[in-house]
Amino acid sequence: MQSLTEMKDNTVCTVKWMLGLPDETEKALRGWQIHPGSEIRVICNDGSGLMIIGSGTRRIALNAETTGHIRV
């Protein structure tokens, strides 16, 4: 299991867990169908923790704090 921040561009991975996220952030991610067991694609990882991920047809920008709490 690795942190989402460690994933390279164009990597497809399955979310294993999301712990320590603020309730509103976790609720928003779940609304975008990102939850443990869901498959996501790393579109762009700039190396600082900021990244764009894809879930289905959606593209979502995440900050370093959020990506640090997601394990894949």
Side-chain angles (χ1 to χ4, degrees):
M1 193 170 355
Q2 296 176 302
S3 172
L4 181 57
T5 58
E6 299 173 27
M7 297 295 105
K8 305 256 187 247
D9 292 357
N10 295 314
T11 302
V12 176
C13 45
T14 301
V15 175
K16 301 295 184 192
W17 55 259
M18 305 184 308
L19 291 178
L21 288 170
D23 289 338
E24 62 188 36
T25 303
E26 186 170 347
K27 185 175 180 179
L29 288 171
R30 288 181 183 276
W32 295 319
Q33 304 301 313
I34 299 171
H35 51 80
S38 64
E39 189 174 274
I40 59 174
R41 176 183 298 273
V42 176
I43 306 298
C44 179
N45 181 356
D46 74 353
S48 70
L50 300 173
M51 61 176 43
I52 299 172
I53 63 169
S55 175
T57 59
R58 294 189 168 123
R59 303 295 178 256
I60 301 138
L62 299 176
N63 63 20
E65 182 180 349
T66 302
T67 59
H69 290 281
I70 299 173
R71 297 290 185 262
V72 293

